[in-house]
Short mmCIF file of all heavy atoms in Angstrom, two decimals:
data_model
loop_
_atom_site.label_atom_id
_atom_site.label_comp_id
_atom_site.label_asym_id
_atom_site.label_seq_id
_atom_site.Cartn_x
_atom_site.Cartn_y
_atom_site.Cartn_z
N VAL A 22 53.95 155.99 -12.74
CA VAL A 22 55.17 156.70 -12.38
C VAL A 22 54.74 158.08 -11.89
O VAL A 22 54.22 158.88 -12.67
CB VAL A 22 56.13 156.85 -13.58
CG1 VAL A 22 57.36 157.64 -13.16
CG2 VAL A 22 56.54 155.49 -14.12
N GLY A 23 54.94 158.34 -10.59
CA GLY A 23 54.51 159.61 -10.04
C GLY A 23 53.02 159.85 -10.19
O GLY A 23 52.57 160.98 -10.34
N VAL A 25 51.24 158.92 -12.76
CA VAL A 25 50.87 158.92 -14.19
C VAL A 25 50.92 157.48 -14.71
O VAL A 25 51.93 156.79 -14.52
CB VAL A 25 51.84 159.80 -15.00
CG1 VAL A 25 51.49 159.74 -16.49
CG2 VAL A 25 51.79 161.23 -14.50
N ILE A 30 52.49 157.30 -20.64
CA ILE A 30 53.87 157.68 -20.96
C ILE A 30 54.32 157.02 -22.26
O ILE A 30 54.95 157.66 -23.11
CB ILE A 30 54.81 157.29 -19.80
CG1 ILE A 30 54.45 158.09 -18.55
CG2 ILE A 30 56.27 157.51 -20.18
CD1 ILE A 30 55.19 157.63 -17.30
N PHE A 94 66.52 174.26 -22.88
CA PHE A 94 65.30 174.38 -22.08
C PHE A 94 64.90 173.05 -21.46
O PHE A 94 64.34 173.02 -20.36
CB PHE A 94 64.17 174.94 -22.95
CG PHE A 94 64.38 176.36 -23.36
CD1 PHE A 94 64.76 176.68 -24.65
CD2 PHE A 94 64.24 177.40 -22.44
CE1 PHE A 94 64.96 178.00 -25.04
CE2 PHE A 94 64.45 178.72 -22.80
CZ PHE A 94 64.81 179.02 -24.11
N GLY A 95 65.20 171.94 -22.14
CA GLY A 95 64.88 170.64 -21.58
C GLY A 95 65.67 170.34 -20.33
O GLY A 95 65.16 169.71 -19.39
N ILE A 98 64.35 173.76 -17.75
CA ILE A 98 62.99 173.89 -17.23
C ILE A 98 62.23 172.56 -17.21
O ILE A 98 61.17 172.46 -16.60
CB ILE A 98 62.17 174.94 -18.02
CG1 ILE A 98 61.94 174.47 -19.46
CG2 ILE A 98 62.86 176.28 -18.00
CD1 ILE A 98 61.03 175.40 -20.24
N GLY A 99 62.75 171.55 -17.91
CA GLY A 99 62.11 170.25 -17.85
C GLY A 99 61.79 169.65 -19.20
O GLY A 99 61.80 170.34 -20.23
N ARG A 100 61.49 168.35 -19.19
CA ARG A 100 61.26 167.61 -20.43
C ARG A 100 59.89 167.91 -21.04
O ARG A 100 59.75 168.02 -22.26
CB ARG A 100 61.35 166.10 -20.19
CG ARG A 100 62.52 165.52 -19.43
CD ARG A 100 63.81 166.20 -19.41
NE ARG A 100 64.87 165.37 -18.82
CZ ARG A 100 66.09 165.81 -18.58
NH1 ARG A 100 66.41 167.08 -18.84
NH2 ARG A 100 67.00 165.00 -18.09
N LYS A 101 58.85 168.04 -20.20
CA LYS A 101 57.48 168.14 -20.68
C LYS A 101 57.25 169.38 -21.56
O LYS A 101 56.79 169.27 -22.70
CB LYS A 101 56.52 168.17 -19.49
CG LYS A 101 55.07 168.40 -19.89
CD LYS A 101 54.17 168.52 -18.66
CE LYS A 101 52.76 168.93 -19.06
NZ LYS A 101 51.86 169.05 -17.89
N ALA A 102 57.57 170.56 -21.05
CA ALA A 102 57.32 171.80 -21.80
C ALA A 102 58.12 171.84 -23.08
O ALA A 102 57.64 172.33 -24.12
CB ALA A 102 57.64 173.01 -20.92
N THR A 103 59.33 171.33 -23.04
CA THR A 103 60.19 171.36 -24.22
C THR A 103 59.66 170.45 -25.31
O THR A 103 59.73 170.78 -26.50
CB THR A 103 61.62 170.94 -23.83
OG1 THR A 103 62.04 171.74 -22.73
CG2 THR A 103 62.57 171.14 -24.99
N LEU A 104 59.11 169.30 -24.93
CA LEU A 104 58.53 168.39 -25.91
C LEU A 104 57.33 169.03 -26.62
O LEU A 104 57.13 168.81 -27.82
CB LEU A 104 58.10 167.10 -25.22
CG LEU A 104 59.19 166.05 -25.02
CD1 LEU A 104 58.71 164.96 -24.08
CD2 LEU A 104 59.61 165.45 -26.35
N LEU A 155 64.22 160.61 -23.48
CA LEU A 155 64.37 160.83 -22.04
C LEU A 155 63.07 160.56 -21.30
O LEU A 155 63.09 160.03 -20.18
CB LEU A 155 64.84 162.26 -21.76
CG LEU A 155 66.36 162.45 -21.64
CD1 LEU A 155 67.09 162.00 -22.89
CD2 LEU A 155 66.69 163.91 -21.34
N LEU A 156 61.95 160.91 -21.90
CA LEU A 156 60.66 160.61 -21.30
C LEU A 156 60.52 159.11 -21.06
O LEU A 156 60.03 158.67 -20.01
CB LEU A 156 59.53 161.11 -22.20
CG LEU A 156 58.10 160.81 -21.75
CD1 LEU A 156 57.80 161.51 -20.43
CD2 LEU A 156 57.11 161.23 -22.82
N GLU A 159 63.81 157.79 -18.53
CA GLU A 159 63.80 158.29 -17.16
C GLU A 159 62.56 157.86 -16.37
O GLU A 159 62.43 158.21 -15.20
CB GLU A 159 63.92 159.82 -17.17
CG GLU A 159 65.29 160.29 -17.65
CD GLU A 159 65.48 161.80 -17.59
OE1 GLU A 159 64.47 162.53 -17.42
OE2 GLU A 159 66.63 162.25 -17.71
N THR A 160 61.66 157.14 -17.00
CA THR A 160 60.49 156.60 -16.29
C THR A 160 60.44 155.08 -16.40
O THR A 160 59.43 154.46 -16.03
CB THR A 160 59.19 157.18 -16.87
OG1 THR A 160 59.12 156.90 -18.28
CG2 THR A 160 59.11 158.69 -16.66
N LYS A 233 49.08 166.23 -20.80
CA LYS A 233 48.59 165.51 -19.64
C LYS A 233 49.71 164.80 -18.87
O LYS A 233 49.44 164.05 -17.93
CB LYS A 233 47.53 164.49 -20.07
CG LYS A 233 46.20 165.12 -20.50
CD LYS A 233 45.20 164.07 -20.88
CE LYS A 233 43.83 164.68 -21.09
NZ LYS A 233 43.23 165.22 -19.84
N LEU A 234 50.95 165.00 -19.26
CA LEU A 234 52.08 164.35 -18.60
C LEU A 234 52.56 165.15 -17.38
O LEU A 234 52.25 166.34 -17.24
CB LEU A 234 53.24 164.20 -19.58
CG LEU A 234 53.06 163.25 -20.77
CD1 LEU A 234 54.29 163.31 -21.66
CD2 LEU A 234 52.82 161.83 -20.28
N GLU A 235 53.34 164.49 -16.54
CA GLU A 235 54.07 165.15 -15.46
C GLU A 235 55.57 165.11 -15.80
O GLU A 235 55.99 164.40 -16.72
CB GLU A 235 53.82 164.44 -14.13
CG GLU A 235 52.36 164.44 -13.69
CD GLU A 235 51.83 165.83 -13.39
OE1 GLU A 235 52.65 166.70 -13.02
OE2 GLU A 235 50.61 166.04 -13.50
N GLU A 236 56.36 165.86 -15.06
CA GLU A 236 57.80 165.84 -15.27
C GLU A 236 58.37 164.47 -14.89
O GLU A 236 57.82 163.78 -14.04
CB GLU A 236 58.47 166.95 -14.45
CG GLU A 236 59.92 167.22 -14.80
CD GLU A 236 60.09 167.45 -16.28
OE1 GLU A 236 59.74 168.53 -16.76
OE2 GLU A 236 60.57 166.51 -16.96
N THR A 237 59.47 164.06 -15.55
CA THR A 237 60.06 162.76 -15.23
C THR A 237 60.65 162.79 -13.82
O THR A 237 61.22 163.80 -13.39
CB THR A 237 61.16 162.37 -16.23
OG1 THR A 237 62.31 163.20 -16.02
CG2 THR A 237 60.68 162.50 -17.66
N PRO A 238 60.55 161.69 -13.07
CA PRO A 238 61.06 161.67 -11.68
C PRO A 238 62.57 161.86 -11.61
O PRO A 238 63.08 162.43 -10.65
CB PRO A 238 60.63 160.29 -11.17
CG PRO A 238 60.38 159.47 -12.38
CD PRO A 238 59.88 160.42 -13.43
N VAL A 239 63.30 161.36 -12.61
CA VAL A 239 64.76 161.52 -12.61
C VAL A 239 65.13 162.99 -12.68
O VAL A 239 66.00 163.47 -11.93
CB VAL A 239 65.39 160.74 -13.79
CG1 VAL A 239 66.87 161.08 -13.91
CG2 VAL A 239 65.21 159.24 -13.59
N PHE A 240 64.48 163.76 -13.56
CA PHE A 240 64.76 165.18 -13.67
C PHE A 240 64.33 165.91 -12.40
O PHE A 240 65.03 166.79 -11.90
CB PHE A 240 64.06 165.78 -14.88
CG PHE A 240 64.30 167.26 -15.04
CD1 PHE A 240 65.48 167.73 -15.60
CD2 PHE A 240 63.35 168.18 -14.62
CE1 PHE A 240 65.70 169.09 -15.74
CE2 PHE A 240 63.57 169.54 -14.76
CZ PHE A 240 64.75 170.00 -15.32
N ALA A 241 63.16 165.53 -11.84
CA ALA A 241 62.67 166.19 -10.62
C ALA A 241 63.65 165.99 -9.47
O ALA A 241 63.90 166.92 -8.69
CB ALA A 241 61.29 165.63 -10.26
N ARG A 242 64.22 164.80 -9.36
CA ARG A 242 65.18 164.55 -8.28
C ARG A 242 66.48 165.33 -8.50
O ARG A 242 67.11 165.78 -7.55
CB ARG A 242 65.45 163.05 -8.16
CG ARG A 242 64.27 162.26 -7.63
CD ARG A 242 64.67 160.85 -7.20
NE ARG A 242 65.07 160.03 -8.32
CZ ARG A 242 64.24 159.27 -9.03
NH1 ARG A 242 62.94 159.27 -8.75
NH2 ARG A 242 64.69 158.51 -10.01
N VAL A 244 66.65 168.25 -9.88
CA VAL A 244 66.34 169.62 -9.47
C VAL A 244 66.39 169.74 -7.96
O VAL A 244 66.94 170.71 -7.41
CB VAL A 244 64.94 170.03 -10.00
CG1 VAL A 244 64.53 171.38 -9.42
CG2 VAL A 244 64.95 170.08 -11.53
N TYR A 400 69.54 165.93 -21.88
CA TYR A 400 68.74 166.36 -23.03
C TYR A 400 69.65 166.98 -24.09
O TYR A 400 69.58 166.63 -25.27
CB TYR A 400 67.70 167.39 -22.55
CG TYR A 400 66.48 167.53 -23.44
CD1 TYR A 400 65.19 167.40 -22.91
CD2 TYR A 400 66.58 167.80 -24.80
CE1 TYR A 400 64.05 167.54 -23.71
CE2 TYR A 400 65.46 167.94 -25.59
CZ TYR A 400 64.19 167.81 -25.04
OH TYR A 400 63.08 167.94 -25.84
#
Side-chain angles (χ1 to χ4, degrees):
V22 178
V25 177
I30 295 172
F94 292 105
I98 66 174
R100 311 334 190 187
K101 175 184 173 180
T103 308
L104 276 168
L155 267 58
L156 177 63
E159 292 184 346
T160 57
K233 289 181 171 293
L234 293 176
E235 299 295 334
E236 192 52 75
T237 71
V239 171
F240 179 79
R242 290 194 293 270
V244 172
Y400 203 127

